[in-house]
Amino acid sequence: MLGPQRRFNVAKPFELEVPEFEHLTYQVEDHMGIVTIRRPQALNALNQDVLMELAAVSEVITQDPLVRVAIFTGEGRAFVAGADIAQIAGLEDVFAAREFAILGQSVFNEIAALPVPTIAAINGFALGGGLELALACDLRVASRKAKLGLPEVGLGIIPGFGGTQRLPRLIGRGRALDLIFTGRHVPAEEALSLGLVNRVGEDALETAKELAAVILKNGPVALALAKEAMGRGENLDLQEALEIEADLFGLACATQDMREGTRAFLEKRPAQFKGE
């Protein structure tokens, strides 16, 4: 479980080592950790190197006490156009293909488990592995020109980075089967109506930043605990899930952020949360 003191409260100057990335950039802006995948010549397609860098940047975000919301986006006209087809075509047997799928699943599981809210800023094509990356984020915003889909069956394969599992959990089995069986590309407005994205705007990154700014007004420990409660409880029966919620509610009430939040409400002023 996330320890509020361990994640946000830094008692001494903190120097974070950020590795050099070849295929992505990482920057922190107003408590937003912004990850931009930069392989535009391949429409940001995911090969093994990109996946390993996404795993590394996830570790950076986990350790960075300045980051309270993480945003993932892509450079150019694609968010991520999918897994690298050349690499998939080179998979020689069942075992190699399975290992590639497990790599993608593991990386996206790390992103899903980040202790801060995560937003996919879908600036263009989010297909195959790209949509699976977006599905691993907590929230998704799309530009009006975005196209989303899982077209793998047209290549004679199936989604392998979590798409067959996360998509039906998000939009329902029937709608997910429609998208997977047809392999069609869904425009942003239809994605919004399906519940596949949360918001649509002219500029995906700016829309994501606006959403993040609203989230950042709230207590960072409370956000982390709310995310943990939903994640741990979603596959349990209701009573077990409610017990987890009660435990985490108790932890939230033991924080200085709770004292500040309730005091600020009673004093009719904005709260100044410190993540403690």
Side-chain angles (χ1 to χ4, degrees), residues 109-237:
N109 284 344
E110 290 182 33
I111 291 171
L114 284 171
V116 296
T118 54
I119 304 172
I122 303 169
N123 51 299
F125 294 110
L127 305 173
L131 180 53
E132 289 169 307
L133 169 58
L135 290 170
C137 294
D138 299 317
L139 301 170
R140 286 150 296 282
V141 301
S143 74
R144 299 193 188 282
K145 63 185 179 183
K147 300 286 186 182
L148 301 84
L150 294 176
E152 284 89 344
V153 293
L155 299 173
I157 58 175
I158 68 170
F161 292 171
T164 65
Q165 304 306 309
R166 285 196 170 96
L167 186 61
R169 283 168 169 78
L170 181 66
I171 66 172
R173 186 173 187 272
R175 288 176 169 180
L177 286 172
D178 180 326
L179 295 187
I180 292 172
F181 284 175
T182 64
R184 65 193 181 91
H185 298 179
V186 176
E189 293 296 341
E190 183 180 355
L192 182 63
S193 69
L194 290 171
L196 186 51
V197 301
N198 300 89
R199 300 187 182 189
V200 173
E202 293 301 326
D203 184 292
L205 182 56
E206 288 307 311
T207 304
K209 288 180 180 179
E210 291 168 7
L211 177 55
V214 175
I215 293 170
L216 285 166
K217 295 177 181 178
N218 301 306
V221 179
L223 291 169
L225 293 175
K227 177 172 177 172
E228 182 177 343
M230 293 182 69
R232 289 173 58 189
E234 64 183 345
N235 294 319
L236 301 177
D237 70 50

Side-chain angles (χ1 to χ4, degrees), residues 48 125 190 247 268:
Q48 183 169 317
F125 294 110
E190 183 180 355
D247 289 343
K268 297 181 172 57

Side-chain angles (χ1 to χ4, degrees), residues 40-104:
Q41 74 282 1
L43 296 179
N44 303 323
L46 300 173
N47 59 16
Q48 183 169 317
D49 292 341
V50 178
L51 289 169
M52 296 304 294
E53 289 192 3
L54 283 170
V57 82
S58 297
E59 182 62 27
V60 171
I61 292 168
T62 299
Q63 296 178 12
D64 196 335
L66 296 178
V67 173
R68 297 185 178 180
V69 176
I71 299 173
F72 292 82
T73 193
E75 182 182 81
R77 61 192 184 95
F79 172 70
V80 171
D84 191 305
I85 303 303
Q87 185 158 10
I88 292 174
L91 296 172
E92 296 179 352
D93 55 43
V94 169
F95 302 104
R98 183 176 188 276
E99 288 302 310
F100 186 58
I102 288 174
L103 172 63

Side-chain angles (χ1 to χ4, degrees), residues 34 46 74 89 98 107 124 150 172 203 220 234 256 258 263 272 276:
I34 303 173
L46 300 173
R98 183 176 188 276
V107 173
L150 294 176
D203 184 292
E234 64 183 345
Q256 292 302 313
M258 186 277 268
R263 188 182 302 117
Q272 301 295 319
E276 301 175 353

Side-chain angles (χ1 to χ4, degrees), residues 240-256:
E240 289 179 299
L242 289 173
E243 289 176 9
I244 290 171
E245 180 184 81
D247 289 343
L248 297 179
F249 177 80
L251 286 178
C253 287
T255 65
Q256 292 302 313

